[in-house]
Amino acid sequence: MEPGTLGGVGGEWVTAAGSSRDGVLLYLHGGGYAIGSPQGYRAVVGRLVSGLGVPAFVPDYRLAPEHPHPAAADDAIAVY
């Protein structure tokens, strides 16, 4: 894992040994845009990138209630 930014949104890049650059997985973590973080999903994303053979980006999008709707959705679209 290493920190990164896509579309102006911070997050984490997750890669596995031998990952191809032929694609990228965009993983939007659970929590209904109100709770959670990339750190809480490292294990599952790590298994996904190992199985898929491509790197993943997990954005640390803005969460409600501090950032009301549509802040998180806007961040997800910006990363995409």
Side-chain angles (χ1 to χ4, degrees):
M1 268 92 23
E2 64 181 71
T5 302
L6 278 179
V9 179
E12 288 187 347
W13 280 104
V14 182
T15 57
S19 289
S20 168
R21 291 291 178 178
D22 290 339
V24 173
L25 170 67
L26 172 58
Y27 189 88
L28 301 176
H29 66 76
Y33 294 127
I35 61 172
S37 70
Q39 295 81 11
Y41 291 83
R42 285 178 176 165
V44 70
V45 176
R47 287 190 298 274
L48 285 169
V49 299
S50 291
L52 295 171
V54 297
F57 186 76
V58 186
D60 192 11
Y61 50 76
R62 295 171 291 169
L63 302 175
E66 293 85 3
H67 303 280
H69 177 75
D74 288 344
D75 288 353
I77 291 167
V79 168
Y80 179 77

